[in-house]
PDB file of all heavy atoms in Angstrom:
ATOM      1  N   ALA A 332       6.910   9.400   8.080  1.00 93.00           N
ATOM      2  CA  ALA A 332       6.973   8.412   7.009  1.00 93.00           C
ATOM      3  C   ALA A 332       6.922   9.070   5.631  1.00 93.00           C
ATOM      4  O   ALA A 332       7.649   8.683   4.704  1.00 93.00           O
ATOM      5  CB  ALA A 332       5.831   7.411   7.154  1.00 93.00           C
ATOM      6  N   THR A 333       6.084  10.092   5.485  1.00 92.00           N
ATOM      7  CA  THR A 333       6.001  10.793   4.208  1.00 92.00           C
ATOM      8  C   THR A 333       7.283  11.541   3.895  1.00 92.00           C
ATOM      9  O   THR A 333       7.729  11.589   2.741  1.00 92.00           O
ATOM     10  CB  THR A 333       4.806  11.769   4.237  1.00 92.00           C
ATOM     11  OG1 THR A 333       3.619  11.049   4.568  1.00 92.00           O
ATOM     12  CG2 THR A 333       4.623  12.435   2.889  1.00 92.00           C
ATOM     13  N   THR A 334       7.895  12.127   4.916  1.00 92.00           N
ATOM     14  CA  THR A 334       9.168  12.815   4.713  1.00 92.00           C
ATOM     15  C   THR A 334      10.268  11.833   4.315  1.00 92.00           C
ATOM     16  O   THR A 334      11.140  12.172   3.502  1.00 92.00           O
ATOM     17  CB  THR A 334       9.566  13.559   5.985  1.00 92.00           C
ATOM     18  OG1 THR A 334       8.484  14.399   6.403  1.00 92.00           O
ATOM     19  CG2 THR A 334      10.793  14.420   5.750  1.00 92.00           C
ATOM     20  N   ALA A 335      10.226  10.622   4.861  1.00 90.00           N
ATOM     21  CA  ALA A 335      11.186   9.603   4.442  1.00 90.00           C
ATOM     22  C   ALA A 335      10.997   9.243   2.969  1.00 90.00           C
ATOM     23  O   ALA A 335      11.973   9.018   2.239  1.00 90.00           O
ATOM     24  CB  ALA A 335      11.044   8.360   5.315  1.00 90.00           C
ATOM     25  N   VAL A 336       9.738   9.198   2.525  1.00 87.00           N
ATOM     26  CA  VAL A 336       9.479   8.951   1.103  1.00 87.00           C
ATOM     27  C   VAL A 336      10.015  10.086   0.254  1.00 87.00           C
ATOM     28  O   VAL A 336      10.623   9.869  -0.811  1.00 87.00           O
ATOM     29  CB  VAL A 336       7.962   8.768   0.872  1.00 87.00           C
ATOM     30  CG1 VAL A 336       7.642   8.695  -0.617  1.00 87.00           C
ATOM     31  CG2 VAL A 336       7.472   7.505   1.567  1.00 87.00           C
ATOM     32  N   GLU A 337       9.835  11.320   0.701  1.00 85.00           N
ATOM     33  CA  GLU A 337      10.374  12.460  -0.032  1.00 85.00           C
ATOM     34  C   GLU A 337      11.898  12.413  -0.110  1.00 85.00           C
ATOM     35  O   GLU A 337      12.501  12.709  -1.155  1.00 85.00           O
ATOM     36  CB  GLU A 337       9.932  13.754   0.640  1.00 85.00           C
ATOM     37  CG  GLU A 337      10.441  15.010  -0.049  1.00 85.00           C
ATOM     38  CD  GLU A 337      10.221  16.254   0.783  1.00 85.00           C
ATOM     39  OE1 GLU A 337       9.704  16.134   1.907  1.00 85.00           O
ATOM     40  OE2 GLU A 337      10.583  17.350   0.311  1.00 85.00           O
ATOM     41  N   ALA A 338      12.537  12.020   1.003  1.00 88.00           N
ATOM     42  CA  ALA A 338      13.994  11.911   1.000  1.00 88.00           C
ATOM     43  C   ALA A 338      14.467  10.829   0.032  1.00 88.00           C
ATOM     44  O   ALA A 338      15.464  11.001  -0.680  1.00 88.00           O
ATOM     45  CB  ALA A 338      14.492  11.614   2.418  1.00 88.00           C
ATOM     46  N   ARG A 339      13.754   9.713  -0.016  1.00 87.00           N
ATOM     47  CA  ARG A 339      14.128   8.665  -0.963  1.00 87.00           C
ATOM     48  C   ARG A 339      13.946   9.120  -2.406  1.00 87.00           C
ATOM     49  O   ARG A 339      14.765   8.795  -3.271  1.00 87.00           O
ATOM     50  CB  ARG A 339      13.287   7.418  -0.695  1.00 87.00           C
ATOM     51  CG  ARG A 339      13.705   6.215  -1.527  1.00 87.00           C
ATOM     52  CD  ARG A 339      12.830   5.027  -1.214  1.00 87.00           C
ATOM     53  NE  ARG A 339      11.429   5.276  -1.540  1.00 87.00           N
ATOM     54  CZ  ARG A 339      10.440   4.416  -1.326  1.00 87.00           C
ATOM     55  NH1 ARG A 339      10.706   3.259  -0.735  1.00 87.00           N
ATOM     56  NH2 ARG A 339       9.208   4.718  -1.657  1.00 87.00           N
ATOM     57  N   GLN A 340      12.900   9.899  -2.664  1.00 83.00           N
ATOM     58  CA  GLN A 340      12.711  10.421  -4.014  1.00 83.00           C
ATOM     59  C   GLN A 340      13.822  11.387  -4.408  1.00 83.00           C
ATOM     60  O   GLN A 340      14.274  11.381  -5.556  1.00 83.00           O
ATOM     61  CB  GLN A 340      11.353  11.118  -4.105  1.00 83.00           C
ATOM     62  CG  GLN A 340      10.163  10.187  -4.012  1.00 83.00           C
ATOM     63  CD  GLN A 340       8.852  10.936  -4.000  1.00 83.00           C
ATOM     64  OE1 GLN A 340       8.816  12.170  -3.910  1.00 83.00           O
ATOM     65  NE2 GLN A 340       7.740  10.206  -4.074  1.00 83.00           N
ATOM     66  N   SER A 341      14.268  12.198  -3.466  1.00 83.00           N
ATOM     67  CA  SER A 341      15.342  13.144  -3.773  1.00 83.00           C
ATOM     68  C   SER A 341      16.676  12.451  -4.006  1.00 83.00           C
ATOM     69  O   SER A 341      17.555  13.009  -4.674  1.00 83.00           O
ATOM     70  CB  SER A 341      15.475  14.162  -2.634  1.00 83.00           C
ATOM     71  OG  SER A 341      15.921  13.528  -1.447  1.00 83.00           O
ATOM     72  N   ARG A 342      16.837  11.238  -3.460  1.00 85.00           N
ATOM     73  CA  ARG A 342      18.087  10.491  -3.655  1.00 85.00           C
ATOM     74  C   ARG A 342      18.008   9.520  -4.828  1.00 85.00           C
ATOM     75  O   ARG A 342      18.934   8.722  -5.020  1.00 85.00           O
ATOM     76  CB  ARG A 342      18.425   9.682  -2.396  1.00 85.00           C
ATOM     77  CG  ARG A 342      18.696  10.489  -1.166  1.00 85.00           C
ATOM     78  CD  ARG A 342      19.342   9.617  -0.094  1.00 85.00           C
ATOM     79  NE  ARG A 342      18.621   8.377   0.114  1.00 85.00           N
ATOM     80  CZ  ARG A 342      17.647   8.210   0.998  1.00 85.00           C
ATOM     81  NH1 ARG A 342      17.284   9.238   1.752  1.00 85.00           N
ATOM     82  NH2 ARG A 342      17.033   7.050   1.142  1.00 85.00           N
ATOM     83  N   ALA A 343      16.930   9.547  -5.591  1.00 84.00           N
ATOM     84  CA  ALA A 343      16.749   8.552  -6.648  1.00 84.00           C
ATOM     85  C   ALA A 343      17.870   8.620  -7.671  1.00 84.00           C
ATOM     86  O   ALA A 343      18.420   7.590  -8.088  1.00 84.00           O
ATOM     87  CB  ALA A 343      15.384   8.734  -7.309  1.00 84.00           C
ATOM     88  N   HIS A 344      18.241   9.826  -8.118  1.00 86.00           N
ATOM     89  CA  HIS A 344      19.295   9.955  -9.128  1.00 86.00           C
ATOM     90  C   HIS A 344      20.647   9.519  -8.565  1.00 86.00           C
ATOM     91  O   HIS A 344      21.433   8.859  -9.261  1.00 86.00           O
ATOM     92  CB  HIS A 344      19.367  11.395  -9.631  1.00 86.00           C
ATOM     93  CG  HIS A 344      18.125  11.847 -10.330  1.00 86.00           C
ATOM     94  ND1 HIS A 344      17.739  11.348 -11.563  1.00 86.00           N
ATOM     95  CD2 HIS A 344      17.166  12.732  -9.975  1.00 86.00           C
ATOM     96  CE1 HIS A 344      16.607  11.918 -11.938  1.00 86.00           C
ATOM     97  NE2 HIS A 344      16.236  12.763 -10.990  1.00 86.00           N
ATOM     98  N   THR A 345      20.920   9.876  -7.320  1.00 85.00           N
ATOM     99  CA  THR A 345      22.189   9.465  -6.705  1.00 85.00           C
ATOM    100  C   THR A 345      22.257   7.952  -6.555  1.00 85.00           C
ATOM    101  O   THR A 345      23.301   7.329  -6.825  1.00 85.00           O
ATOM    102  CB  THR A 345      22.350  10.145  -5.345  1.00 85.00           C
ATOM    103  OG1 THR A 345      22.276  11.565  -5.506  1.00 85.00           O
ATOM    104  CG2 THR A 345      23.673   9.783  -4.704  1.00 85.00           C
ATOM    105  N   THR A 346      21.157   7.343  -6.125  1.00 87.00           N
ATOM    106  CA  THR A 346      21.132   5.888  -5.984  1.00 87.00           C
ATOM    107  C   THR A 346      21.330   5.194  -7.318  1.00 87.00           C
ATOM    108  O   THR A 346      22.087   4.209  -7.426  1.00 87.00           O
ATOM    109  CB  THR A 346      19.803   5.456  -5.350  1.00 87.00           C
ATOM    110  OG1 THR A 346      19.643   6.119  -4.087  1.00 87.00           O
ATOM    111  CG2 THR A 346      19.765   3.964  -5.144  1.00 87.00           C
ATOM    112  N   ALA A 347      20.668   5.708  -8.360  1.00 88.00           N
ATOM    113  CA  ALA A 347      20.838   5.114  -9.689  1.00 88.00           C
ATOM    114  C   ALA A 347      22.270   5.261 -10.177  1.00 88.00           C
ATOM    115  O   ALA A 347      22.829   4.337 -10.792  1.00 88.00           O
ATOM    116  CB  ALA A 347      19.872   5.766 -10.677  1.00 88.00           C
ATOM    117  N   ALA A 348      22.896   6.411  -9.901  1.00 88.00           N
ATOM    118  CA  ALA A 348      24.286   6.600 -10.316  1.00 88.00           C
ATOM    119  C   ALA A 348      25.230   5.646  -9.592  1.00 88.00           C
ATOM    120  O   ALA A 348      26.157   5.081 -10.190  1.00 88.00           O
ATOM    121  CB  ALA A 348      24.700   8.051 -10.069  1.00 88.00           C
ATOM    122  N   LEU A 349      25.000   5.420  -8.303  1.00 87.00           N
ATOM    123  CA  LEU A 349      25.840   4.483  -7.555  1.00 87.00           C
ATOM    124  C   LEU A 349      25.695   3.059  -8.079  1.00 87.00           C
ATOM    125  O   LEU A 349      26.682   2.304  -8.175  1.00 87.00           O
ATOM    126  CB  LEU A 349      25.480   4.536  -6.074  1.00 87.00           C
ATOM    127  CG  LEU A 349      25.888   5.811  -5.320  1.00 87.00           C
ATOM    128  CD1 LEU A 349      25.343   5.786  -3.901  1.00 87.00           C
ATOM    129  CD2 LEU A 349      27.405   5.966  -5.304  1.00 87.00           C
ATOM    130  N   LEU A 350      24.463   2.686  -8.435  1.00 88.00           N
ATOM    131  CA  LEU A 350      24.256   1.350  -8.984  1.00 88.00           C
ATOM    132  C   LEU A 350      24.920   1.204 -10.343  1.00 88.00           C
ATOM    133  O   LEU A 350      25.470   0.135 -10.660  1.00 88.00           O
ATOM    134  CB  LEU A 350      22.755   1.054  -9.080  1.00 88.00           C
ATOM    135  CG  LEU A 350      22.016   0.901  -7.744  1.00 88.00           C
ATOM    136  CD1 LEU A 350      20.532   0.721  -7.985  1.00 88.00           C
ATOM    137  CD2 LEU A 350      22.573  -0.289  -6.961  1.00 88.00           C
ATOM    138  N   ARG A 351      24.887   2.241 -11.145  1.00 89.00           N
ATOM    139  CA  ARG A 351      25.569   2.176 -12.449  1.00 89.00           C
ATOM    140  C   ARG A 351      27.074   2.066 -12.291  1.00 89.00           C
ATOM    141  O   ARG A 351      27.758   1.446 -13.115  1.00 89.00           O
ATOM    142  CB  ARG A 351      25.226   3.406 -13.283  1.00 89.00           C
ATOM    143  CG  ARG A 351      23.812   3.402 -13.842  1.00 89.00           C
ATOM    144  CD  ARG A 351      23.667   4.434 -14.937  1.00 89.00           C
ATOM    145  NE  ARG A 351      24.024   5.770 -14.493  1.00 89.00           N
ATOM    146  CZ  ARG A 351      23.162   6.644 -13.997  1.00 89.00           C
ATOM    147  NH1 ARG A 351      21.878   6.307 -13.867  1.00 89.00           N
ATOM    148  NH2 ARG A 351      23.551   7.843 -13.616  1.00 89.00           N
ATOM    149  N   LEU A 352      27.599   2.665 -11.223  1.00 86.00           N
ATOM    150  CA  LEU A 352      29.039   2.600 -10.977  1.00 86.00           C
ATOM    151  C   LEU A 352      29.472   1.276 -10.354  1.00 86.00           C
ATOM    152  O   LEU A 352      30.673   1.072 -10.134  1.00 86.00           O
ATOM    153  CB  LEU A 352      29.465   3.760 -10.068  1.00 86.00           C
ATOM    154  CG  LEU A 352      29.384   5.158 -10.694  1.00 86.00           C
ATOM    155  CD1 LEU A 352      29.702   6.221  -9.657  1.00 86.00           C
ATOM    156  CD2 LEU A 352      30.344   5.273 -11.878  1.00 86.00           C
TER     157      LEU A 352
END
Side-chain angles (χ1 to χ4, degrees):
T333 305
T334 307
V336 172
E337 180 191 2
R339 186 180 62 182
Q340 291 176 352
S341 66
R342 297 194 311 269
H344 297 291
T345 303
T346 303
L349 289 174
L350 292 176
R351 287 195 304 268
L352 291 175

